[in-house]
Amino acid sequence: MSNRIKIFNRFVFPLALTFLFLSGNSHAKEFSETSFLIAKIQPSNFNNQSFWNFLQKNNNSGMQFDLTEKNGEILLTGSRHNFNSILEKINQFITNDSSKILPVFIQFEGDIQVLDSIISHSEIATRIFYLPRGEAWPAIEYLIQANRRVLFFVSGNIENSGRTLHFTDDYVFQISADKVN
């Protein structure tokens, strides 16, 4: 395997490109016209500070992770990191940069009311934006001024609905590096 492929598989492959509403304009004023680079959080990079620094410095970045319910606790799949530790990282991001909009994509199987409850009781609860079905996305300036800068999207084998979680398939067009041959 060539060095280029090894580098791609090791560093680029975990990053999935997710484009909201088919657009590529990174200087857009409307949220629906904005693209984000979505990095996948995995057990192998959870404690990697350069990974988190990259996400913090890039204003058009977000995160994706898989969660598993194990013994009544919600964990990052394949690790012992609980969902609250991820929410703490998210809180650090939005506290450190008052202009950052942070889309968060969660893959989960089970009752999302459990996730909704954890999110609603976290430090970021007041900073979450939820778009009611049928409404138009607000301008980015509105999200920043209202301090509603975290947007959660969820996919998987899901039971029920939540008050803070958007269904990914209803809002997102995704292009993923792991789909490249």
Side-chain angles (χ1 to χ4, degrees), residues 131-146:
L131 181 69
R133 195 156 184 76
E135 298 287 325
W137 286 103
I140 288 178
E141 289 80 19
Y142 170 81
L143 295 173
I144 293 169
Q145 289 172 0

Side-chain angles (χ1 to χ4, degrees), residues 65 67 74 83-84 86-88 90-91 94 104-106 108 111-130 148 150-154 162-166:
F65 46 87
L67 294 176
I74 306 297
F83 185 35
N84 286 320
I86 297 171
L87 293 175
E88 288 170 12
I90 293 170
N91 187 50
I94 59 177
V104 178
F105 295 87
I106 301 171
F108 181 71
D111 187 351
I112 64 169
Q113 289 179 348
V114 173
L115 296 180
D116 195 53
S117 176
I118 294 170
I119 293 168
S120 295
H121 290 95
S122 71
E123 292 180 17
I124 64 168
T126 60
R127 296 178 177 161
I128 296 169
F129 178 79
Y130 180 79
R148 299 287 185 162
V150 180
L151 297 97
F152 282 100
F153 297 89
V154 65
R163 295 181 322 201
T164 59
L165 301 157
H166 301 91

Side-chain angles (χ1 to χ4, degrees), residues 4 6-17 37 177-178:
R4 233 183 221 169
K6 287 179 186 176
I7 290 171
F8 177 81
N9 286 338
R10 186 164 184 195
F11 297 106
V12 178
F13 185 72
L15 296 177
L17 295 180
L37 172 68
D178 64 355

